[in-house]
Amino acid sequence: MLVHLGWHPLSRAPPFEQGATCSGWKRSVQGSCPMAPQYAPSLRSRLAPLLLFLQIGFVVIFAFCIEIESNIKADGTTFSSFYPEFQDVNAMVILGFGFLCTFLVRYGYSATGFNLLVAVMAIQWAIILRGMESWYYRGKIRVDLRSLVVAEMCTASALISIGAVLGKTNPVHLVLIGLLEVSGFVLNEWLLQVLLKVPTENSIMLLHVFGAFFGLTLTWILFREGSLQPFEKEKFDRQTGLFSMLGSLFLWMFWPSFNSVLVDNDFPWRKLGAVCSTYLALAVSAVTASAMSMLSSPRGKLNPIRMQSCILAGGVAVGVSMSAVRQPWEAMTIGFTAAVVSTAGSQCLKTHMLLAFECHDTCAVLSTHGLPGLLGWLAHLLLQIKACDDHTTAIRFAVFHICTLLLTIAVSLSMAVLTGFLLKWNLWRPPQDKKCFDDQAFWEFPHLAVNK
C-alpha cells in the first residue's frame, strides 16, 4: 500500500504527518501540490486579507482625515533639532526590539520580521487614535515628528508584550495584539490625563508597566498544556545570542533619547538632566548586572541572555521616575537597584511564574520591564514626597500617584483579558506545539525540506 502511494520508508517524511490536513495529503498523493502542513492555509487565508484590509483602511483614513503639520518655524530649527531624536527612537523600536528577541535558535527571521510588521501597523493605528481629539475639534489630524515619536512609544508597549508570547503565536495573533494593546494604551493615557491630570510624558513612560502586565496576562490566558516542559525548539546558541546582544546594545545606546524625547525643548536644562540621568543609570545597571550575573552563576561566569536584559533595567526605572530625579546620585541609585531586582527576577521568577501561575514568559518581560518599571514608579513616589514642603501636599500626591498605577494596571489587565479570549478562537489557527519557535512555520526556505 505504501509503495502504491509513492512513499518509501527511507523518504524524509511519512505520507500523512501529524499536523497535515486531509485535503492537503490527498492533493500531495495526486501530485498536484507538495504536502502542506496545517499552518500553510493560515497565512494565505487569514494574514494576507487582514493586512490588506487594515492597510487599505489606514490609507483611506489618512487620505481624508490626516495632514502634515505646516505651522513650523521658518528657519527649520524645530525640525533639525527634533529629527535626530526621532531617528534614535525609530532605531530602538525597529532595530533594538527586533534584534533583542533573536536569541532563539530557529526564530530569528520571525523575531525581526514580525517586529517590523507589528511596529509599522501599530504606529499608523496610534497616530489615528491619538489624533481623534484633534479630528473632533478641527476636522483634521495633524502629523509632525513629535506625533510620530509618541506613536512609536505607544507601539513600544505592544512590542514589550509580544516578547511574552513570542514563538507561541502566529503573525495574525501578533498584529491583533499590537492593534488592541495600542488601543488600550492610548485609552489609559487619555484617562490618566483627564481624570488625574497626569502630564503626557509621565503617562507615556508607564509603557513598561502597561506592556509587561499586558503580556503576562496574555501568556497566562494563552497557556498551552504542554508548556510546563521546555519547548523542543526554545533554545539559543552563541550566534543567535550575539545578534540578541546587538539589539541590547542598540537599546542601551539610544535609551537616553527615548527617555528625554518628550521633555519640552523650552526647558533645555530638563532635557539635559534627563539625558545625563538616563546615561548614568544605564552605566550603573550594566556594571551591576555583570556583577550579579557572575555571582548568581554556579560556575562564576557571565550569563549573556540574563545580562542583555538586565543592563537595560536602569533605563527603564529612571524613565518612569524621570520627572522626580534631580541629582546624579539618585539616578545612579535607581540604576543599581533596578539591576539587582532585574537580575534576581530573571534568575527565579521565570521558572516560578511557569510552575505556580502557568505563565510562560518567553523573553522575561517581567524582570526586564515589569519589575524595573514598578521600581521606577516607587522611586518617583519617594523622591516627590521628599521634595514636598508639607505633609498635605505629600499625601495628596501619594494618593494620585497610587491611583495612576492602579488605573494603568487595571486597563492593562482588562485589555489583555479581552485580547486573550479573542485570540483563543481557533479561527486564527495557532501553531502546533511542534511548530512553535520555528521560522519554517511561516517563512519559505527553498534550500530546506518542507517538513524538516
Short mmCIF file of all heavy atoms in Angstrom, two decimals, residues 179-218:
data_model
loop_
_atom_site.label_atom_id
_atom_site.label_comp_id
_atom_site.label_asym_id
_atom_site.label_seq_id
_atom_site.Cartn_x
_atom_site.Cartn_y
_atom_site.Cartn_z
N LEU A 179 -2.52 45.99 17.64
CA LEU A 179 -3.61 46.96 17.47
C LEU A 179 -4.42 47.13 18.74
O LEU A 179 -4.75 48.25 19.14
CB LEU A 179 -4.51 46.52 16.31
CG LEU A 179 -3.86 46.44 14.93
CD1 LEU A 179 -4.87 45.97 13.89
CD2 LEU A 179 -3.28 47.79 14.53
N LEU A 180 -4.75 46.01 19.41
CA LEU A 180 -5.58 46.09 20.60
C LEU A 180 -4.82 46.69 21.78
O LEU A 180 -5.39 47.47 22.56
CB LEU A 180 -6.10 44.70 20.96
CG LEU A 180 -7.14 44.12 19.99
CD1 LEU A 180 -7.46 42.67 20.32
CD2 LEU A 180 -8.42 44.96 20.01
N GLU A 181 -3.54 46.36 21.90
CA GLU A 181 -2.81 46.94 23.02
C GLU A 181 -2.58 48.43 22.84
O GLU A 181 -2.66 49.20 23.80
CB GLU A 181 -1.47 46.23 23.23
CG GLU A 181 -0.73 46.84 24.39
CD GLU A 181 0.46 46.04 24.84
OE1 GLU A 181 0.69 44.95 24.27
OE2 GLU A 181 1.16 46.49 25.76
N VAL A 182 -2.27 48.85 21.63
CA VAL A 182 -2.12 50.29 21.39
C VAL A 182 -3.42 51.01 21.71
O VAL A 182 -3.41 52.10 22.29
CB VAL A 182 -1.69 50.54 19.93
CG1 VAL A 182 -1.88 52.01 19.55
CG2 VAL A 182 -0.23 50.15 19.74
N SER A 183 -4.55 50.39 21.37
CA SER A 183 -5.85 50.99 21.71
C SER A 183 -5.98 51.14 23.22
O SER A 183 -6.41 52.18 23.73
CB SER A 183 -6.98 50.12 21.16
OG SER A 183 -6.88 49.96 19.76
N GLY A 184 -5.62 50.08 23.96
CA GLY A 184 -5.70 50.15 25.42
C GLY A 184 -4.73 51.16 26.00
O GLY A 184 -5.06 51.87 26.96
N PHE A 185 -3.54 51.25 25.44
CA PHE A 185 -2.55 52.18 25.97
C PHE A 185 -2.98 53.62 25.73
O PHE A 185 -2.82 54.48 26.61
CB PHE A 185 -1.20 51.92 25.32
CG PHE A 185 -0.08 52.72 25.92
CD1 PHE A 185 0.48 52.36 27.14
CD2 PHE A 185 0.41 53.84 25.27
CE1 PHE A 185 1.50 53.10 27.70
CE2 PHE A 185 1.43 54.58 25.82
CZ PHE A 185 1.98 54.22 27.04
N VAL A 186 -3.49 53.93 24.55
CA VAL A 186 -3.98 55.28 24.27
C VAL A 186 -5.16 55.62 25.17
O VAL A 186 -5.28 56.74 25.68
CB VAL A 186 -4.35 55.42 22.78
CG1 VAL A 186 -5.02 56.76 22.52
CG2 VAL A 186 -3.11 55.27 21.91
N LEU A 187 -6.04 54.64 25.40
CA LEU A 187 -7.15 54.86 26.33
C LEU A 187 -6.64 55.15 27.74
O LEU A 187 -7.14 56.06 28.42
CB LEU A 187 -8.06 53.62 26.34
CG LEU A 187 -9.18 53.61 27.39
CD1 LEU A 187 -10.16 54.75 27.15
CD2 LEU A 187 -9.89 52.26 27.41
N ASN A 188 -5.64 54.40 28.19
CA ASN A 188 -5.07 54.62 29.51
C ASN A 188 -4.44 56.01 29.62
O ASN A 188 -4.60 56.71 30.63
CB ASN A 188 -4.04 53.54 29.81
CG ASN A 188 -3.42 53.70 31.18
OD1 ASN A 188 -4.06 53.51 32.20
ND2 ASN A 188 -2.13 54.05 31.21
N GLU A 189 -3.72 56.41 28.58
CA GLU A 189 -3.12 57.74 28.58
C GLU A 189 -4.19 58.83 28.68
O GLU A 189 -4.02 59.80 29.43
CB GLU A 189 -2.30 57.91 27.29
CG GLU A 189 -1.66 59.27 27.14
CD GLU A 189 -1.12 59.51 25.74
OE1 GLU A 189 -1.16 58.58 24.92
OE2 GLU A 189 -0.70 60.66 25.46
N TRP A 190 -5.28 58.66 27.93
CA TRP A 190 -6.36 59.65 27.97
C TRP A 190 -7.02 59.69 29.35
O TRP A 190 -7.31 60.78 29.88
CB TRP A 190 -7.39 59.30 26.90
CG TRP A 190 -8.55 60.25 26.83
CD1 TRP A 190 -8.57 61.48 26.25
CD2 TRP A 190 -9.85 60.05 27.40
NE1 TRP A 190 -9.82 62.06 26.40
CE2 TRP A 190 -10.61 61.21 27.09
CE3 TRP A 190 -10.44 59.01 28.10
CZ2 TRP A 190 -11.94 61.33 27.51
CZ3 TRP A 190 -11.77 59.14 28.50
CH2 TRP A 190 -12.50 60.29 28.21
N LEU A 191 -7.25 58.54 29.96
CA LEU A 191 -7.86 58.50 31.29
C LEU A 191 -6.96 59.15 32.33
O LEU A 191 -7.45 59.88 33.21
CB LEU A 191 -8.16 57.05 31.68
CG LEU A 191 -9.27 56.35 30.91
CD1 LEU A 191 -9.37 54.88 31.31
CD2 LEU A 191 -10.62 57.04 31.11
N LEU A 192 -5.66 58.89 32.27
CA LEU A 192 -4.74 59.49 33.23
C LEU A 192 -4.72 61.01 33.10
O LEU A 192 -4.66 61.73 34.11
CB LEU A 192 -3.34 58.92 33.03
CG LEU A 192 -3.13 57.45 33.41
CD1 LEU A 192 -1.70 57.02 33.10
CD2 LEU A 192 -3.45 57.20 34.87
N GLN A 193 -4.77 61.50 31.88
CA GLN A 193 -4.71 62.94 31.68
C GLN A 193 -6.03 63.62 32.06
O GLN A 193 -6.02 64.73 32.58
CB GLN A 193 -4.35 63.24 30.24
CG GLN A 193 -2.93 62.81 29.86
CD GLN A 193 -2.61 63.09 28.41
OE1 GLN A 193 -3.34 63.80 27.73
NE2 GLN A 193 -1.52 62.53 27.91
N VAL A 194 -7.15 62.96 31.79
CA VAL A 194 -8.45 63.58 32.07
C VAL A 194 -8.84 63.44 33.53
O VAL A 194 -9.28 64.41 34.17
CB VAL A 194 -9.53 62.94 31.17
CG1 VAL A 194 -10.92 63.41 31.58
CG2 VAL A 194 -9.28 63.28 29.71
N LEU A 195 -8.66 62.26 34.10
CA LEU A 195 -9.11 62.02 35.47
C LEU A 195 -8.11 62.48 36.52
O LEU A 195 -8.50 63.01 37.57
CB LEU A 195 -9.41 60.52 35.66
CG LEU A 195 -10.50 59.93 34.76
CD1 LEU A 195 -10.69 58.45 35.06
CD2 LEU A 195 -11.83 60.68 34.94
N LEU A 196 -6.81 62.25 36.26
CA LEU A 196 -5.79 62.52 37.28
C LEU A 196 -4.83 63.64 36.90
O LEU A 196 -3.91 63.94 37.67
CB LEU A 196 -4.99 61.24 37.56
CG LEU A 196 -5.82 60.04 38.05
CD1 LEU A 196 -4.95 58.81 38.20
CD2 LEU A 196 -6.50 60.37 39.37
N LYS A 197 -5.03 64.24 35.72
CA LYS A 197 -4.19 65.35 35.26
C LYS A 197 -2.71 64.98 35.22
O LYS A 197 -1.83 65.78 35.55
CB LYS A 197 -4.40 66.59 36.15
CG LYS A 197 -5.84 67.00 36.34
CD LYS A 197 -6.52 67.31 35.02
CE LYS A 197 -7.98 67.72 35.22
NZ LYS A 197 -8.69 67.96 33.95
N VAL A 198 -2.41 63.77 34.80
CA VAL A 198 -1.02 63.30 34.70
C VAL A 198 -0.40 63.89 33.44
O VAL A 198 -1.01 63.81 32.36
CB VAL A 198 -0.96 61.76 34.67
CG1 VAL A 198 0.48 61.27 34.53
CG2 VAL A 198 -1.60 61.18 35.92
N PRO A 199 0.80 64.47 33.52
CA PRO A 199 1.45 65.00 32.30
C PRO A 199 1.67 63.92 31.26
O PRO A 199 1.80 62.73 31.58
CB PRO A 199 2.79 65.54 32.84
CG PRO A 199 2.55 65.79 34.29
CD PRO A 199 1.57 64.74 34.73
N THR A 200 1.73 64.34 30.00
CA THR A 200 1.84 63.38 28.90
C THR A 200 3.07 62.50 29.03
O THR A 200 3.00 61.28 28.87
CB THR A 200 1.89 64.14 27.56
OG1 THR A 200 0.70 64.91 27.41
CG2 THR A 200 2.00 63.17 26.40
N GLU A 201 4.25 63.12 29.34
CA GLU A 201 5.46 62.31 29.40
C GLU A 201 5.41 61.28 30.52
O GLU A 201 5.92 60.16 30.39
CB GLU A 201 6.70 63.20 29.56
CG GLU A 201 6.68 64.12 30.77
CD GLU A 201 6.10 65.49 30.46
OE1 GLU A 201 5.32 65.60 29.49
OE2 GLU A 201 6.44 66.44 31.18
N ASN A 202 4.75 61.62 31.64
CA ASN A 202 4.65 60.66 32.75
C ASN A 202 3.72 59.51 32.41
O ASN A 202 4.00 58.35 32.75
CB ASN A 202 4.16 61.37 34.01
CG ASN A 202 5.19 62.31 34.59
OD1 ASN A 202 6.32 62.39 34.09
ND2 ASN A 202 4.83 63.04 35.63
N SER A 203 2.61 59.81 31.76
CA SER A 203 1.66 58.75 31.42
C SER A 203 2.23 57.81 30.36
O SER A 203 2.01 56.60 30.41
CB SER A 203 0.34 59.36 30.93
OG SER A 203 0.54 60.16 29.77
N ILE A 204 2.97 58.36 29.39
CA ILE A 204 3.54 57.51 28.34
C ILE A 204 4.67 56.65 28.88
O ILE A 204 4.84 55.50 28.47
CB ILE A 204 4.01 58.38 27.16
CG1 ILE A 204 2.80 58.99 26.45
CG2 ILE A 204 4.86 57.58 26.18
CD1 ILE A 204 3.14 59.87 25.28
N MET A 205 5.44 57.16 29.83
CA MET A 205 6.56 56.40 30.37
C MET A 205 6.10 55.19 31.19
O MET A 205 6.93 54.34 31.54
CB MET A 205 7.45 57.30 31.22
CG MET A 205 8.41 58.12 30.39
SD MET A 205 9.45 57.07 29.34
CE MET A 205 10.20 58.29 28.29
N LEU A 206 4.83 55.09 31.48
CA LEU A 206 4.31 53.89 32.13
C LEU A 206 4.14 52.74 31.15
O LEU A 206 3.57 51.71 31.49
CB LEU A 206 2.97 54.20 32.81
CG LEU A 206 3.04 55.05 34.08
CD1 LEU A 206 1.64 55.47 34.52
CD2 LEU A 206 3.74 54.29 35.20
N LEU A 207 4.63 52.92 29.93
CA LEU A 207 4.50 51.88 28.90
C LEU A 207 5.17 50.58 29.33
O LEU A 207 4.74 49.48 28.92
CB LEU A 207 5.09 52.38 27.58
CG LEU A 207 6.60 52.68 27.50
CD1 LEU A 207 7.40 51.47 27.03
CD2 LEU A 207 6.85 53.86 26.57
N HIS A 208 6.21 50.65 30.14
CA HIS A 208 6.89 49.43 30.58
C HIS A 208 5.99 48.61 31.49
O HIS A 208 5.88 47.39 31.34
CB HIS A 208 8.19 49.79 31.30
CG HIS A 208 9.12 50.63 30.50
ND1 HIS A 208 9.87 50.12 29.47
CD2 HIS A 208 9.40 51.96 30.56
CE1 HIS A 208 10.60 51.10 28.94
NE2 HIS A 208 10.33 52.22 29.58
N VAL A 209 5.34 49.27 32.43
CA VAL A 209 4.43 48.57 33.34
C VAL A 209 3.22 48.05 32.58
O VAL A 209 2.80 46.90 32.74
CB VAL A 209 4.00 49.51 34.49
CG1 VAL A 209 2.99 48.82 35.40
CG2 VAL A 209 5.21 49.96 35.29
N PHE A 210 2.65 48.89 31.74
CA PHE A 210 1.48 48.50 30.96
C PHE A 210 1.80 47.31 30.07
O PHE A 210 1.05 46.32 30.04
CB PHE A 210 1.01 49.69 30.11
CG PHE A 210 -0.32 49.49 29.45
CD1 PHE A 210 -1.48 49.97 30.04
CD2 PHE A 210 -0.43 48.81 28.24
CE1 PHE A 210 -2.72 49.79 29.43
CE2 PHE A 210 -1.66 48.62 27.63
CZ PHE A 210 -2.81 49.11 28.23
N GLY A 211 2.90 47.38 29.35
CA GLY A 211 3.26 46.31 28.43
C GLY A 211 3.58 45.01 29.14
O GLY A 211 3.20 43.92 28.67
N ALA A 212 4.28 45.08 30.27
CA ALA A 212 4.65 43.86 30.99
C ALA A 212 3.42 43.15 31.53
O ALA A 212 3.28 41.92 31.37
CB ALA A 212 5.61 44.21 32.13
N PHE A 213 2.51 43.87 32.17
CA PHE A 213 1.31 43.23 32.72
C PHE A 213 0.38 42.74 31.62
O PHE A 213 -0.26 41.70 31.76
CB PHE A 213 0.58 44.20 33.66
CG PHE A 213 1.19 44.26 35.03
CD1 PHE A 213 2.16 45.20 35.34
CD2 PHE A 213 0.79 43.37 36.02
CE1 PHE A 213 2.73 45.25 36.60
CE2 PHE A 213 1.35 43.41 37.28
CZ PHE A 213 2.32 44.36 37.58
N PHE A 214 0.32 43.47 30.52
CA PHE A 214 -0.49 43.03 29.39
C PHE A 214 0.06 41.71 28.85
O PHE A 214 -0.68 40.75 28.61
CB PHE A 214 -0.46 44.10 28.30
CG PHE A 214 -1.42 43.86 27.17
CD1 PHE A 214 -2.63 44.53 27.11
CD2 PHE A 214 -1.12 42.96 26.15
CE1 PHE A 214 -3.52 44.32 26.06
CE2 PHE A 214 -1.99 42.74 25.10
CZ PHE A 214 -3.20 43.41 25.06
N GLY A 215 1.37 41.64 28.65
CA GLY A 215 1.97 40.44 28.11
C GLY A 215 1.85 39.24 29.04
O GLY A 215 1.58 38.12 28.59
N LEU A 216 2.05 39.45 30.33
CA LEU A 216 1.94 38.34 31.28
C LEU A 216 0.52 37.80 31.34
O LEU A 216 0.30 36.58 31.40
CB LEU A 216 2.39 38.81 32.67
CG LEU A 216 3.88 39.13 32.81
CD1 LEU A 216 4.16 39.73 34.18
CD2 LEU A 216 4.72 37.87 32.60
N THR A 217 -0.46 38.69 31.36
CA THR A 217 -1.85 38.23 31.36
C THR A 217 -2.18 37.48 30.09
O THR A 217 -2.88 36.46 30.11
CB THR A 217 -2.80 39.44 31.53
OG1 THR A 217 -2.43 40.18 32.69
CG2 THR A 217 -4.23 38.97 31.66
N LEU A 218 -1.68 37.96 28.99
CA LEU A 218 -1.95 37.34 27.70
C LEU A 218 -1.35 35.93 27.63
O LEU A 218 -2.01 34.98 27.20
CB LEU A 218 -1.38 38.22 26.59
CG LEU A 218 -1.93 38.00 25.18
CD1 LEU A 218 -3.42 38.23 25.14
CD2 LEU A 218 -1.23 38.95 24.21
#
